[in-house]
PDB file of all heavy atoms in Angstrom:
ATOM      1  N   LEU A  16      27.123 -20.062 -35.888  1.00 93.00           N
ATOM      2  CA  LEU A  16      26.499 -20.237 -34.578  1.00 93.00           C
ATOM      3  C   LEU A  16      26.671 -19.026 -33.668  1.00 93.00           C
ATOM      4  O   LEU A  16      26.302 -19.078 -32.502  1.00 93.00           O
ATOM      5  CB  LEU A  16      27.053 -21.485 -33.879  1.00 93.00           C
ATOM      6  CG  LEU A  16      26.525 -22.828 -34.388  1.00 93.00           C
ATOM      7  CD1 LEU A  16      27.260 -23.988 -33.733  1.00 93.00           C
ATOM      8  CD2 LEU A  16      25.028 -22.949 -34.120  1.00 93.00           C
ATOM      9  N   ASP A  17      27.220 -17.951 -34.197  1.00 95.00           N
ATOM     10  CA  ASP A  17      27.347 -16.726 -33.408  1.00 95.00           C
ATOM     11  C   ASP A  17      26.106 -15.864 -33.602  1.00 95.00           C
ATOM     12  O   ASP A  17      25.664 -15.644 -34.733  1.00 95.00           O
ATOM     13  CB  ASP A  17      28.587 -15.940 -33.829  1.00 95.00           C
ATOM     14  CG  ASP A  17      29.869 -16.563 -33.312  1.00 95.00           C
ATOM     15  OD1 ASP A  17      29.787 -17.445 -32.444  1.00 95.00           O
ATOM     16  OD2 ASP A  17      30.955 -16.164 -33.795  1.00 95.00           O
ATOM     17  N   VAL A  18      25.556 -15.365 -32.497  1.00 96.00           N
ATOM     18  CA  VAL A  18      24.404 -14.464 -32.572  1.00 96.00           C
ATOM     19  C   VAL A  18      24.613 -13.319 -31.586  1.00 96.00           C
ATOM     20  O   VAL A  18      25.191 -13.491 -30.518  1.00 96.00           O
ATOM     21  CB  VAL A  18      23.071 -15.187 -32.249  1.00 96.00           C
ATOM     22  CG1 VAL A  18      22.727 -16.193 -33.320  1.00 96.00           C
ATOM     23  CG2 VAL A  18      23.115 -15.844 -30.877  1.00 96.00           C
ATOM     24  N   ALA A  19      24.131 -12.151 -31.974  1.00 95.00           N
ATOM     25  CA  ALA A  19      24.162 -10.982 -31.104  1.00 95.00           C
ATOM     26  C   ALA A  19      22.752 -10.435 -30.995  1.00 95.00           C
ATOM     27  O   ALA A  19      22.081 -10.219 -32.013  1.00 95.00           O
ATOM     28  CB  ALA A  19      25.100  -9.915 -31.667  1.00 95.00           C
ATOM     29  N   VAL A  20      22.281 -10.257 -29.780  1.00 95.00           N
ATOM     30  CA  VAL A  20      20.938  -9.715 -29.573  1.00 95.00           C
ATOM     31  C   VAL A  20      20.937  -8.247 -29.973  1.00 95.00           C
ATOM     32  O   VAL A  20      21.794  -7.467 -29.549  1.00 95.00           O
ATOM     33  CB  VAL A  20      20.509  -9.879 -28.103  1.00 95.00           C
ATOM     34  CG1 VAL A  20      19.118  -9.279 -27.893  1.00 95.00           C
ATOM     35  CG2 VAL A  20      20.511 -11.353 -27.709  1.00 95.00           C
ATOM     36  N   ARG A  21      19.960  -7.875 -30.804  1.00 94.00           N
ATOM     37  CA  ARG A  21      19.847  -6.477 -31.241  1.00 94.00           C
ATOM     38  C   ARG A  21      19.103  -5.674 -30.175  1.00 94.00           C
ATOM     39  O   ARG A  21      17.988  -6.031 -29.790  1.00 94.00           O
ATOM     40  CB  ARG A  21      19.079  -6.388 -32.562  1.00 94.00           C
ATOM     41  CG  ARG A  21      19.739  -7.103 -33.735  1.00 94.00           C
ATOM     42  CD  ARG A  21      18.868  -6.949 -34.968  1.00 94.00           C
ATOM     43  NE  ARG A  21      19.386  -7.684 -36.113  1.00 94.00           N
ATOM     44  CZ  ARG A  21      20.246  -7.198 -36.999  1.00 94.00           C
ATOM     45  NH1 ARG A  21      20.689  -5.964 -36.854  1.00 94.00           N
ATOM     46  NH2 ARG A  21      20.658  -7.932 -38.016  1.00 94.00           N
ATOM     47  N   GLY A  22      19.710  -4.611 -29.707  1.00 91.00           N
ATOM     48  CA  GLY A  22      19.042  -3.767 -28.724  1.00 91.00           C
ATOM     49  C   GLY A  22      18.841  -4.483 -27.402  1.00 91.00           C
ATOM     50  O   GLY A  22      19.690  -5.253 -26.945  1.00 91.00           O
ATOM     51  N   ASP A  23      17.688  -4.247 -26.785  1.00 93.00           N
ATOM     52  CA  ASP A  23      17.385  -4.867 -25.499  1.00 93.00           C
ATOM     53  C   ASP A  23      16.914  -6.305 -25.697  1.00 93.00           C
ATOM     54  O   ASP A  23      16.253  -6.627 -26.681  1.00 93.00           O
ATOM     55  CB  ASP A  23      16.300  -4.073 -24.761  1.00 93.00           C
ATOM     56  CG  ASP A  23      16.745  -2.655 -24.428  1.00 93.00           C
ATOM     57  OD1 ASP A  23      17.961  -2.456 -24.256  1.00 93.00           O
ATOM     58  OD2 ASP A  23      15.884  -1.764 -24.349  1.00 93.00           O
ATOM     59  N   GLY A  24      17.222  -7.151 -24.737  1.00 95.00           N
ATOM     60  CA  GLY A  24      16.781  -8.542 -24.803  1.00 95.00           C
ATOM     61  C   GLY A  24      17.866  -9.491 -24.321  1.00 95.00           C
ATOM     62  O   GLY A  24      19.021  -9.088 -24.102  1.00 95.00           O
ATOM     63  N   TRP A  25      17.489 -10.745 -24.175  1.00 96.00           N
ATOM     64  CA  TRP A  25      18.404 -11.753 -23.623  1.00 96.00           C
ATOM     65  C   TRP A  25      18.163 -13.111 -24.274  1.00 96.00           C
ATOM     66  O   TRP A  25      17.044 -13.436 -24.668  1.00 96.00           O
ATOM     67  CB  TRP A  25      18.183 -11.907 -22.109  1.00 96.00           C
ATOM     68  CG  TRP A  25      18.354 -10.649 -21.333  1.00 96.00           C
ATOM     69  CD1 TRP A  25      17.397  -9.692 -21.118  1.00 96.00           C
ATOM     70  CD2 TRP A  25      19.530 -10.192 -20.674  1.00 96.00           C
ATOM     71  NE1 TRP A  25      17.912  -8.672 -20.365  1.00 96.00           N
ATOM     72  CE2 TRP A  25      19.214  -8.948 -20.074  1.00 96.00           C
ATOM     73  CE3 TRP A  25      20.809 -10.705 -20.517  1.00 96.00           C
ATOM     74  CZ2 TRP A  25      20.138  -8.216 -19.336  1.00 96.00           C
ATOM     75  CZ3 TRP A  25      21.740  -9.986 -19.787  1.00 96.00           C
ATOM     76  CH2 TRP A  25      21.397  -8.756 -19.210  1.00 96.00           C
ATOM     77  N   LEU A  26      19.236 -13.890 -24.361  1.00 96.00           N
ATOM     78  CA  LEU A  26      19.121 -15.315 -24.637  1.00 96.00           C
ATOM     79  C   LEU A  26      18.825 -16.031 -23.325  1.00 96.00           C
ATOM     80  O   LEU A  26      19.188 -15.556 -22.248  1.00 96.00           O
ATOM     81  CB  LEU A  26      20.420 -15.851 -25.228  1.00 96.00           C
ATOM     82  CG  LEU A  26      20.865 -15.272 -26.586  1.00 96.00           C
ATOM     83  CD1 LEU A  26      22.302 -15.701 -26.879  1.00 96.00           C
ATOM     84  CD2 LEU A  26      19.936 -15.719 -27.685  1.00 96.00           C
ATOM     85  N   VAL A  27      18.190 -17.182 -23.404  1.00 96.00           N
ATOM     86  CA  VAL A  27      17.831 -17.945 -22.211  1.00 96.00           C
ATOM     87  C   VAL A  27      18.628 -19.240 -22.188  1.00 96.00           C
ATOM     88  O   VAL A  27      18.707 -19.955 -23.195  1.00 96.00           O
ATOM     89  CB  VAL A  27      16.318 -18.262 -22.184  1.00 96.00           C
ATOM     90  CG1 VAL A  27      15.945 -18.989 -20.898  1.00 96.00           C
ATOM     91  CG2 VAL A  27      15.503 -16.977 -22.317  1.00 96.00           C
ATOM     92  N   VAL A  28      19.237 -19.534 -21.051  1.00 96.00           N
ATOM     93  CA  VAL A  28      19.968 -20.783 -20.866  1.00 96.00           C
ATOM     94  C   VAL A  28      19.392 -21.524 -19.660  1.00 96.00           C
ATOM     95  O   VAL A  28      18.765 -20.928 -18.781  1.00 96.00           O
ATOM     96  CB  VAL A  28      21.477 -20.533 -20.668  1.00 96.00           C
ATOM     97  CG1 VAL A  28      22.083 -19.922 -21.919  1.00 96.00           C
ATOM     98  CG2 VAL A  28      21.733 -19.654 -19.460  1.00 96.00           C
ATOM     99  N   GLN A  29      19.614 -22.818 -19.649  1.00 94.00           N
ATOM    100  CA  GLN A  29      19.117 -23.655 -18.549  1.00 94.00           C
ATOM    101  C   GLN A  29      20.231 -23.909 -17.544  1.00 94.00           C
ATOM    102  O   GLN A  29      21.353 -24.258 -17.914  1.00 94.00           O
ATOM    103  CB  GLN A  29      18.600 -24.995 -19.091  1.00 94.00           C
ATOM    104  CG  GLN A  29      17.872 -25.847 -18.069  1.00 94.00           C
ATOM    105  CD  GLN A  29      16.574 -25.214 -17.609  1.00 94.00           C
ATOM    106  OE1 GLN A  29      15.840 -24.640 -18.414  1.00 94.00           O
ATOM    107  NE2 GLN A  29      16.297 -25.296 -16.321  1.00 94.00           N
ATOM    108  N   THR A  30      19.923 -23.713 -16.273  1.00 93.00           N
ATOM    109  CA  THR A  30      20.867 -23.974 -15.186  1.00 93.00           C
ATOM    110  C   THR A  30      20.230 -24.943 -14.202  1.00 93.00           C
ATOM    111  O   THR A  30      19.018 -25.190 -14.271  1.00 93.00           O
ATOM    112  CB  THR A  30      21.252 -22.668 -14.462  1.00 93.00           C
ATOM    113  OG1 THR A  30      20.118 -22.201 -13.715  1.00 93.00           O
ATOM    114  CG2 THR A  30      21.680 -21.592 -15.452  1.00 93.00           C
ATOM    115  N   PRO A  31      20.995 -25.502 -13.275  1.00 92.00           N
ATOM    116  CA  PRO A  31      20.407 -26.411 -12.284  1.00 92.00           C
ATOM    117  C   PRO A  31      19.309 -25.778 -11.452  1.00 92.00           C
ATOM    118  O   PRO A  31      18.454 -26.490 -10.905  1.00 92.00           O
ATOM    119  CB  PRO A  31      21.615 -26.794 -11.419  1.00 92.00           C
ATOM    120  CG  PRO A  31      22.790 -26.637 -12.319  1.00 92.00           C
ATOM    121  CD  PRO A  31      22.476 -25.465 -13.190  1.00 92.00           C
ATOM    122  N   THR A  32      19.293 -24.454 -11.338  1.00 89.00           N
ATOM    123  CA  THR A  32      18.281 -23.773 -10.524  1.00 89.00           C
ATOM    124  C   THR A  32      17.162 -23.171 -11.363  1.00 89.00           C
ATOM    125  O   THR A  32      16.302 -22.473 -10.833  1.00 89.00           O
ATOM    126  CB  THR A  32      18.934 -22.665  -9.683  1.00 89.00           C
ATOM    127  OG1 THR A  32      19.598 -21.723 -10.558  1.00 89.00           O
ATOM    128  CG2 THR A  32      19.944 -23.256  -8.714  1.00 89.00           C
ATOM    129  N   GLY A  33      17.166 -23.412 -12.677  1.00 91.00           N
ATOM    130  CA  GLY A  33      16.125 -22.867 -13.534  1.00 91.00           C
ATOM    131  C   GLY A  33      16.706 -22.035 -14.666  1.00 91.00           C
ATOM    132  O   GLY A  33      17.900 -22.108 -14.980  1.00 91.00           O
ATOM    133  N   GLU A  34      15.863 -21.242 -15.294  1.00 94.00           N
ATOM    134  CA  GLU A  34      16.289 -20.430 -16.426  1.00 94.00           C
ATOM    135  C   GLU A  34      17.125 -19.238 -15.971  1.00 94.00           C
ATOM    136  O   GLU A  34      16.898 -18.675 -14.906  1.00 94.00           O
ATOM    137  CB  GLU A  34      15.079 -19.934 -17.222  1.00 94.00           C
ATOM    138  CG  GLU A  34      14.347 -21.034 -17.973  1.00 94.00           C
ATOM    139  CD  GLU A  34      13.251 -20.480 -18.859  1.00 94.00           C
ATOM    140  OE1 GLU A  34      12.973 -19.259 -18.768  1.00 94.00           O
ATOM    141  OE2 GLU A  34      12.663 -21.254 -19.642  1.00 94.00           O
ATOM    142  N   ALA A  35      18.086 -18.878 -16.803  1.00 95.00           N
ATOM    143  CA  ALA A  35      18.912 -17.691 -16.569  1.00 95.00           C
ATOM    144  C   ALA A  35      19.092 -16.998 -17.911  1.00 95.00           C
ATOM    145  O   ALA A  35      18.833 -17.574 -18.975  1.00 95.00           O
ATOM    146  CB  ALA A  35      20.253 -18.068 -15.959  1.00 95.00           C
ATOM    147  N   TYR A  36      19.561 -15.739 -17.848  1.00 96.00           N
ATOM    148  CA  TYR A  36      19.610 -14.908 -19.046  1.00 96.00           C
ATOM    149  C   TYR A  36      21.034 -14.422 -19.296  1.00 96.00           C
ATOM    150  O   TYR A  36      21.769 -14.094 -18.358  1.00 96.00           O
ATOM    151  CB  TYR A  36      18.653 -13.727 -18.897  1.00 96.00           C
ATOM    152  CG  TYR A  36      17.291 -14.170 -18.389  1.00 96.00           C
ATOM    153  CD1 TYR A  36      16.829 -13.776 -17.133  1.00 96.00           C
ATOM    154  CD2 TYR A  36      16.503 -15.028 -19.148  1.00 96.00           C
ATOM    155  CE1 TYR A  36      15.605 -14.217 -16.662  1.00 96.00           C
ATOM    156  CE2 TYR A  36      15.275 -15.468 -18.685  1.00 96.00           C
ATOM    157  CZ  TYR A  36      14.828 -15.067 -17.436  1.00 96.00           C
ATOM    158  OH  TYR A  36      13.631 -15.525 -16.977  1.00 96.00           O
ATOM    159  N   THR A  37      21.398 -14.379 -20.568  1.00 95.00           N
ATOM    160  CA  THR A  37      22.753 -14.005 -20.935  1.00 95.00           C
ATOM    161  C   THR A  37      22.744 -13.290 -22.279  1.00 95.00           C
ATOM    162  O   THR A  37      21.798 -13.436 -23.063  1.00 95.00           O
ATOM    163  CB  THR A  37      23.665 -15.245 -21.012  1.00 95.00           C
ATOM    164  OG1 THR A  37      24.999 -14.842 -21.338  1.00 95.00           O
ATOM    165  CG2 THR A  37      23.178 -16.209 -22.070  1.00 95.00           C
ATOM    166  N   ARG A  38      23.801 -12.529 -22.543  1.00 95.00           N
ATOM    167  CA  ARG A  38      24.003 -11.902 -23.848  1.00 95.00           C
ATOM    168  C   ARG A  38      25.151 -12.575 -24.597  1.00 95.00           C
ATOM    169  O   ARG A  38      25.521 -12.147 -25.675  1.00 95.00           O
ATOM    170  CB  ARG A  38      24.326 -10.414 -23.664  1.00 95.00           C
ATOM    171  CG  ARG A  38      23.263  -9.603 -22.959  1.00 95.00           C
ATOM    172  CD  ARG A  38      22.190  -9.109 -23.870  1.00 95.00           C
ATOM    173  NE  ARG A  38      22.683  -8.192 -24.894  1.00 95.00           N
ATOM    174  CZ  ARG A  38      21.892  -7.380 -25.585  1.00 95.00           C
ATOM    175  NH1 ARG A  38      20.581  -7.401 -25.392  1.00 95.00           N
ATOM    176  NH2 ARG A  38      22.391  -6.571 -26.502  1.00 95.00           N
ATOM    177  N   VAL A  39      25.705 -13.625 -24.020  1.00 93.00           N
ATOM    178  CA  VAL A  39      26.815 -14.339 -24.648  1.00 93.00           C
ATOM    179  C   VAL A  39      26.270 -15.168 -25.804  1.00 93.00           C
ATOM    180  O   VAL A  39      25.521 -16.121 -25.595  1.00 93.00           O
ATOM    181  CB  VAL A  39      27.542 -15.237 -23.633  1.00 93.00           C
ATOM    182  CG1 VAL A  39      28.695 -15.971 -24.306  1.00 93.00           C
ATOM    183  CG2 VAL A  39      28.048 -14.413 -22.460  1.00 93.00           C
ATOM    184  N   GLY A  40      26.641 -14.810 -27.024  1.00 92.00           N
ATOM    185  CA  GLY A  40      26.047 -15.451 -28.183  1.00 92.00           C
ATOM    186  C   GLY A  40      26.961 -16.351 -28.982  1.00 92.00           C
ATOM    187  O   GLY A  40      26.586 -16.779 -30.078  1.00 92.00           O
ATOM    188  N   ASN A  41      28.159 -16.667 -28.499  1.00 93.00           N
ATOM    189  CA  ASN A  41      29.033 -17.596 -29.223  1.00 93.00           C
ATOM    190  C   ASN A  41      28.635 -19.028 -28.871  1.00 93.00           C
ATOM    191  O   ASN A  41      29.226 -19.672 -28.012  1.00 93.00           O
ATOM    192  CB  ASN A  41      30.514 -17.319 -28.927  1.00 93.00           C
ATOM    193  CG  ASN A  41      30.813 -17.224 -27.447  1.00 93.00           C
ATOM    194  OD1 ASN A  41      29.915 -17.101 -26.618  1.00 93.00           O
ATOM    195  ND2 ASN A  41      32.091 -17.288 -27.096  1.00 93.00           N
ATOM    196  N   LEU A  42      27.599 -19.511 -29.563  1.00 94.00           N
ATOM    197  CA  LEU A  42      27.015 -20.813 -29.268  1.00 94.00           C
ATOM    198  C   LEU A  42      27.840 -21.926 -29.912  1.00 94.00           C
ATOM    199  O   LEU A  42      28.689 -21.695 -30.768  1.00 94.00           O
ATOM    200  CB  LEU A  42      25.569 -20.861 -29.771  1.00 94.00           C
ATOM    201  CG  LEU A  42      24.664 -19.700 -29.335  1.00 94.00           C
ATOM    202  CD1 LEU A  42      23.263 -19.883 -29.893  1.00 94.00           C
ATOM    203  CD2 LEU A  42      24.638 -19.560 -27.827  1.00 94.00           C
ATOM    204  N   GLN A  43      27.553 -23.152 -29.470  1.00 93.00           N
ATOM    205  CA  GLN A  43      28.229 -24.321 -30.024  1.00 93.00           C
ATOM    206  C   GLN A  43      27.266 -25.507 -29.980  1.00 93.00           C
ATOM    207  O   GLN A  43      26.230 -25.462 -29.311  1.00 93.00           O
ATOM    208  CB  GLN A  43      29.497 -24.648 -29.233  1.00 93.00           C
ATOM    209  CG  GLN A  43      29.239 -25.055 -27.793  1.00 93.00           C
ATOM    210  CD  GLN A  43      30.517 -25.422 -27.063  1.00 93.00           C
ATOM    211  OE1 GLN A  43      31.588 -25.437 -27.634  1.00 93.00           O
ATOM    212  NE2 GLN A  43      30.400 -25.737 -25.773  1.00 93.00           N
ATOM    213  N   VAL A  44      27.643 -26.564 -30.681  1.00 92.00           N
ATOM    214  CA  VAL A  44      26.856 -27.803 -30.673  1.00 92.00           C
ATOM    215  C   VAL A  44      27.627 -28.850 -29.888  1.00 92.00           C
ATOM    216  O   VAL A  44      28.774 -29.171 -30.228  1.00 92.00           O
ATOM    217  CB  VAL A  44      26.574 -28.301 -32.106  1.00 92.00           C
ATOM    218  CG1 VAL A  44      25.781 -29.603 -32.071  1.00 92.00           C
ATOM    219  CG2 VAL A  44      25.818 -27.247 -32.902  1.00 92.00           C
ATOM    220  N   ALA A  45      27.015 -29.352 -28.828  1.00 91.00           N
ATOM    221  CA  ALA A  45      27.664 -30.358 -27.990  1.00 91.00           C
ATOM    222  C   ALA A  45      27.719 -31.699 -28.719  1.00 91.00           C
ATOM    223  O   ALA A  45      27.127 -31.881 -29.785  1.00 91.00           O
ATOM    224  CB  ALA A  45      26.911 -30.495 -26.670  1.00 91.00           C
ATOM    225  N   SER A  46      28.420 -32.653 -28.121  1.00 88.00           N
ATOM    226  CA  SER A  46      28.581 -33.969 -28.751  1.00 88.00           C
ATOM    227  C   SER A  46      27.259 -34.687 -28.943  1.00 88.00           C
ATOM    228  O   SER A  46      27.113 -35.511 -29.852  1.00 88.00           O
ATOM    229  CB  SER A  46      29.525 -34.832 -27.893  1.00 88.00           C
ATOM    230  OG  SER A  46      29.015 -34.955 -26.568  1.00 88.00           O
ATOM    231  N   ASP A  47      26.264 -34.369 -28.104  1.00 89.00           N
ATOM    232  CA  ASP A  47      24.950 -35.001 -28.252  1.00 89.00           C
ATOM    233  C   ASP A  47      24.001 -34.188 -29.131  1.00 89.00           C
ATOM    234  O   ASP A  47      22.817 -34.512 -29.228  1.00 89.00           O
ATOM    235  CB  ASP A  47      24.311 -35.222 -26.873  1.00 89.00           C
ATOM    236  CG  ASP A  47      24.172 -33.936 -26.071  1.00 89.00           C
ATOM    237  OD1 ASP A  47      24.552 -32.864 -26.597  1.00 89.00           O
ATOM    238  OD2 ASP A  47      23.684 -33.989 -24.922  1.00 89.00           O
ATOM    239  N   GLY A  48      24.519 -33.127 -29.764  1.00 90.00           N
ATOM    240  CA  GLY A  48      23.698 -32.347 -30.672  1.00 90.00           C
ATOM    241  C   GLY A  48      23.005 -31.153 -30.040  1.00 90.00           C
ATOM    242  O   GLY A  48      22.407 -30.337 -30.745  1.00 90.00           O
ATOM    243  N   ARG A  49      23.071 -31.019 -28.721  1.00 93.00           N
ATOM    244  CA  ARG A  49      22.400 -29.904 -28.067  1.00 93.00           C
ATOM    245  C   ARG A  49      23.133 -28.596 -28.330  1.00 93.00           C
ATOM    246  O   ARG A  49      24.355 -28.558 -28.372  1.00 93.00           O
ATOM    247  CB  ARG A  49      22.315 -30.139 -26.554  1.00 93.00           C
ATOM    248  CG  ARG A  49      21.403 -31.265 -26.120  1.00 93.00           C
ATOM    249  CD  ARG A  49      21.324 -31.313 -24.595  1.00 93.00           C
ATOM    250  NE  ARG A  49      22.650 -31.472 -24.004  1.00 93.00           N
ATOM    251  CZ  ARG A  49      22.922 -31.244 -22.714  1.00 93.00           C
ATOM    252  NH1 ARG A  49      21.960 -30.837 -21.898  1.00 93.00           N
ATOM    253  NH2 ARG A  49      24.146 -31.416 -22.251  1.00 93.00           N
ATOM    254  N   VAL A  50      22.354 -27.535 -28.492  1.00 94.00           N
ATOM    255  CA  VAL A  50      22.934 -26.204 -28.648  1.00 94.00           C
ATOM    256  C   VAL A  50      23.230 -25.656 -27.263  1.00 94.00           C
ATOM    257  O   VAL A  50      22.348 -25.578 -26.401  1.00 94.00           O
ATOM    258  CB  VAL A  50      21.977 -25.261 -29.394  1.00 94.00           C
ATOM    259  CG1 VAL A  50      22.585 -23.871 -29.529  1.00 94.00           C
ATOM    260  CG2 VAL A  50      21.633 -25.825 -30.764  1.00 94.00           C
ATOM    261  N   THR A  51      24.476 -25.291 -27.025  1.00 94.00           N
ATOM    262  CA  THR A  51      24.893 -24.799 -25.716  1.00 94.00           C
ATOM    263  C   THR A  51      25.721 -23.529 -25.881  1.00 94.00           C
ATOM    264  O   THR A  51      26.123 -23.166 -26.986  1.00 94.00           O
ATOM    265  CB  THR A  51      25.725 -25.849 -24.958  1.00 94.00           C
ATOM    266  OG1 THR A  51      26.990 -26.019 -25.626  1.00 94.00           O
ATOM    267  CG2 THR A  51      25.002 -27.188 -24.897  1.00 94.00           C
ATOM    268  N   THR A  52      25.967 -22.866 -24.774  1.00 92.00           N
ATOM    269  CA  THR A  52      26.925 -21.774 -24.763  1.00 92.00           C
ATOM    270  C   THR A  52      28.326 -22.365 -24.713  1.00 92.00           C
ATOM    271  O   THR A  52      28.508 -23.571 -24.522  1.00 92.00           O
ATOM    272  CB  THR A  52      26.709 -20.864 -23.548  1.00 92.00           C
ATOM    273  OG1 THR A  52      26.949 -21.629 -22.335  1.00 92.00           O
ATOM    274  CG2 THR A  52      25.292 -20.325 -23.505  1.00 92.00           C
ATOM    275  N   MET A  53      29.338 -21.501 -24.858  1.00 87.00           N
ATOM    276  CA  MET A  53      30.709 -21.984 -24.772  1.00 87.00           C
ATOM    277  C   MET A  53      31.015 -22.526 -23.381  1.00 87.00           C
ATOM    278  O   MET A  53      31.939 -23.301 -23.200  1.00 87.00           O
ATOM    279  CB  MET A  53      31.687 -20.850 -25.121  1.00 87.00           C
ATOM    280  CG  MET A  53      31.778 -20.570 -26.609  1.00 87.00           C
ATOM    281  SD  MET A  53      32.417 -21.980 -27.518  1.00 87.00           S
ATOM    282  CE  MET A  53      32.422 -21.341 -29.193  1.00 87.00           C
ATOM    283  N   GLY A  54      30.220 -22.101 -22.396  1.00 86.00           N
ATOM    284  CA  GLY A  54      30.383 -22.629 -21.042  1.00 86.00           C
ATOM    285  C   GLY A  54      29.673 -23.942 -20.817  1.00 86.00           C
ATOM    286  O   GLY A  54      29.708 -24.491 -19.705  1.00 86.00           O
ATOM    287  N   GLY A  55      29.000 -24.465 -21.853  1.00 89.00           N
ATOM    288  CA  GLY A  55      28.338 -25.759 -21.747  1.00 89.00           C
ATOM    289  C   GLY A  55      26.919 -25.711 -21.219  1.00 89.00           C
ATOM    290  O   GLY A  55      26.324 -26.768 -20.964  1.00 89.00           O
TER     291      GLY A  55
END
């Protein structure tokens, strides 16, 4: 579940205010099956 973006680019995460972008690629699977960042 670890991914690293090659070169330029971003992963997209959902926040209460809309989409945000991150390079943090140590993903995980939550208890409900959703793919999330380590920050949830």
Side-chain angles (χ1 to χ4, degrees):
L16 284 173
D17 285 347
V18 292
V20 179
R21 298 179 184 271
D23 297 331
W25 302 85
L26 297 168
V27 183
V28 296
Q29 189 66 40
T30 70
T32 58
E34 291 186 352
Y36 313 114
T37 182
R38 300 275 297 197
V39 180
N41 50 346
L42 309 181
Q43 64 178 357
V44 179
S46 58
D47 57 1
R49 292 185 303 164
V50 179
T51 68
T52 63
M53 283 297 181

